[in-house]
Amino acid sequence: MIRLLLIILLALLIGTGLSLGLQYDLGYIRISLGHYLIETNFWVGLGVIVALIVLTVLTINLIRRLRTSTGLVAGWIARGNERRARRRTTQGLLALAEGNWPRARKLLTSSASHADTPLINYLAAAQASFESGDHEAVDELLRKAFDSTPGSDMAVGITQAQLQLAGNRLEQALATLVRLRKQSPHHPFVLKLLKNTYLRLEDWRELSRLLPELRKRSVLPEAELNDLERQVWHNLLERAAEDCRRQQKQDPEASLEPLTRLWDELPGFLRRDEYTIRDYARLLASLGDEVQTETLLRKVLRNHWSDELINLYGRVKGQKPDEQLLLAEQWLKDRPNNPELLLALGRLSLRNELWGKAREYFETSLRLKRSREALAELSRLNAHMGEEEASVKLLMQGLAKDNGLPELPMPRA
């Protein structure tokens, strides 16, 4: 209200001044431009000058407005492009989820340049190209993904490795993952992918070197990691045994150092693992070192009982077979009804040429558990003791049981 009064007052003062000024002749204004001469009344000239000033100010303001409006138009166009890019990106991702690979790739690549996250567009388009079988396009799209977003090397590299693994390009995937691990040595997903790659390549030695890091970073559940570690060292033991066999073909007196040295490298929990001990003992026995096998099994069975290990113990020949039999008979005091121990005792009795005792052990084992091994051992023993009829009868029983034959009438001999 006060401002309005001030404006009105100022207008009245200016009007009063002008009306008073018009009563006096203040002369004229004369302007000479070359051959042209302009003369005008002072007040008219003043009005023209004021009008020129006002026109100049208005022109400047108009130019400024035009510049601003151009920026607004450009912004409006850019926002429209972004909206279309978001819409096409969504459509492309839906097409990818639906398995429409060509449409997904087209929508995602065409909208990448205006998308909020071009990295996502290019990575998804690379996935669509891979599913279409266009591996050259995959590499090109991954390169664009890397160029589109600074600091995206890890994301692009992981996607590349996954696609290489899915395409069974294992050597290329390994090279990619080794490079990524140099950049980020403890990245859990890189370690997991590297584990999968070594596993598919059956590179057990490199996988054994990776296992401590997998355990330290908790990349896998404990049970799964233990199974993997058991698998890795089992295969390494098998390969070491193969090396020993090759050496024995060239030199029958060759040592078993490759296998025994590897056993010393095993983690502690695996050297106490029943299945790993069984595998190692079988390999030792198959390579001819039954004495060391018996020593190992004896130590283990004293502290940790296992039916599988006692079965293997009955198969190997120790340095002193009589002491081996006596030790097993001591174990029988604590386990009088263990069929596997009785089977092993029967075999150890045979090794000590105690035929009657061996038959008793085999028959007792069969009464507790009718196993093929006990049937075969007793049948073989009866045959060598001249009891062919009993031997054949046992063999027929074993065949009928193994093949699931029904009880049917048979002709008399």
Side-chain angles (χ1 to χ4, degrees):
M1 186 66 181
I2 296 175
R3 182 181 297 177
L4 179 59
L5 292 174
L6 289 174
I7 292 172
I8 294 172
L9 180 60
L10 182 61
L12 290 173
L13 290 174
I14 293 172
T16 303
L18 289 174
S19 63
L20 292 174
L22 290 172
Q23 295 177 4
Y24 300 96
D25 185 8
L26 296 179
Y28 61 91
I29 296 173
R30 183 178 180 180
I31 300 172
S32 177
L33 294 173
H35 299 290
Y36 298 97
L37 181 65
I38 300 174
E39 290 185 356
T40 181
N41 183 277
F42 172 79
W43 294 109
V44 174
L46 182 61
V48 170
I49 292 172
V50 171
L52 288 174
I53 293 172
V54 171
L55 183 61
T56 302
V57 172
L58 290 175
T59 303
I60 293 172
N61 288 334
L62 180 61
I63 293 172
R64 288 178 177 174
R65 285 179 179 275
L66 287 174
R67 287 182 178 177
T68 305
S69 64
T70 302
L72 291 172
V73 171
W76 177 77
I77 293 173
R79 286 191 294 273
N81 290 334
E82 290 173 0
R83 285 193 297 271
R84 283 190 294 275
R86 282 194 291 269
R87 184 172 63 253
R88 291 173 70 85
T89 297
T90 302
Q91 293 172 348
L93 292 174
L94 288 173
L96 182 67
E98 293 169 358
N100 191 343
W101 318 125
R103 174 174 168 78
R105 174 182 166 184
K106 179 179 178 181
L107 289 169
L108 291 166
T109 52
S110 63
S111 58
S113 57
H114 298 291
D116 297 329
T117 53
L119 177 66
I120 301 299
N121 287 60
Y122 286 124
L123 293 180
Q127 175 71 34
S129 298
F130 170 79
E131 297 293 348
S132 300
D134 191 349
H135 295 293
E136 291 184 3
V138 170
D139 296 335
E140 176 64 19
L141 287 166
L142 289 174
R143 185 189 61 77
K144 289 182 178 180
F146 175 76
D147 294 338
S148 70
T149 308
S152 62
D153 188 33
M154 185 62 65
V156 174
I158 287 176
T159 302
Q160 184 179 28
Q162 287 179 298
L163 295 179
Q164 288 167 340
L165 281 173
N168 208 34
R169 296 187 291 171
L170 302 180
E171 297 294 342
Q172 295 178 16
L174 179 60
T176 302
L177 290 167
V178 168
R179 174 176 59 82
L180 292 176
R181 194 184 179 196
K182 288 180 181 179
Q183 296 178 12
S184 182
H186 310 306
H187 195 290
F189 195 54
V190 172
L191 293 174
K192 188 173 184 178
L193 290 175
L194 199 55
K195 181 267 297 182
N196 293 337
T197 307
Y198 284 137
L199 196 59
R200 291 174 62 178
L201 287 169
E202 296 186 356
D203 191 340
W204 308 113
R205 176 51 68 183
E206 287 299 325
L207 195 49
S208 70
R209 296 189 180 104
L210 186 65
L211 282 169
E213 189 69 17
L214 294 175
R215 188 176 294 278
K216 184 178 180 181
R217 304 298 165 186
S218 301
V219 175
L220 299 173
E222 188 70 19
E224 184 179 346
L225 189 59
N226 289 339
D227 289 342
L228 175 64
E229 195 155 11
R230 189 177 291 113
Q231 179 186 3
V232 168
W233 287 103
H234 168 80
N235 282 282
L236 286 173
L237 288 170
E238 289 282 355
R239 290 192 175 180
E242 285 297 324
D243 293 339
C244 292
R245 289 189 186 97
R246 283 194 291 269
Q247 292 178 11
Q248 286 180 339
K249 287 181 180 179
Q250 299 174 358
D251 179 11
E253 300 299 323
S255 70
L256 304 182
E257 184 183 0
L259 182 61
T260 56
R261 184 176 64 248
L262 187 63
W263 173 257
D264 293 335
E265 295 179 16
L266 260 67
F269 89 95
L270 282 179
R271 295 180 66 180
R272 297 185 297 272
D273 178 68
E274 173 185 341
Y275 303 103
T276 308
I277 294 170
R278 178 200 62 194
D279 292 341
Y280 177 61
R282 285 177 177 172
L283 291 172
L284 273 179
S286 68
L287 291 169
D289 196 345
E290 294 191 38
V291 172
Q292 187 174 348
T293 305
E294 188 272 332
T295 303
L296 170 67
L297 292 173
R298 182 178 357 113
K299 290 179 180 178
V300 174
L301 287 166
R302 279 175 175 170
N303 301 311
H304 176 75
W305 185 260
S306 165
D307 285 350
E308 285 199 53
L309 295 183
I310 191 59
N311 183 291
L312 184 58
Y313 187 75
R315 291 171 175 269
V316 299
K317 181 181 179 181
Q319 190 170 9
K320 298 179 179 180
D322 54 339
E323 293 183 5
Q324 191 176 351
L325 175 60
L326 290 174
L327 178 63
E329 287 179 332
Q330 291 178 6
W331 292 335
L332 186 63
K333 296 176 183 179
D334 297 326
R335 301 170 182 83
N337 297 317
N338 189 300
E340 293 295 336
L341 175 56
L342 289 163
L343 175 61
L345 282 166
R347 286 168 169 162
L348 293 174
S349 297
L350 289 177
R351 199 174 295 281
N352 286 276
E353 301 183 2
L354 302 173
W355 319 125
K357 179 181 282 192
R359 181 158 63 181
E360 290 178 6
Y361 281 134
F362 288 142
E363 289 174 346
T364 306
S365 177
L366 273 173
R367 284 196 296 270
L368 294 170
K369 178 185 176 182
R370 294 191 66 82
S371 68
R372 287 183 296 177
E373 285 188 73
L375 277 169
E377 289 288 9
L378 184 56
S379 175
R380 180 171 63 170
L381 178 58
N382 284 334
H384 282 82
M385 292 180 70
E387 300 180 10
E388 288 82 1
E389 184 178 349
S391 175
V392 171
K393 185 177 179 180
L394 286 169
L395 284 177
M396 295 300 293
Q397 290 177 357
L399 286 171
K401 181 181 178 182
D402 292 344
N403 293 280
L405 300 180
E407 292 289 340
L408 296 171
M410 291 290 164
R412 294 183 179 274

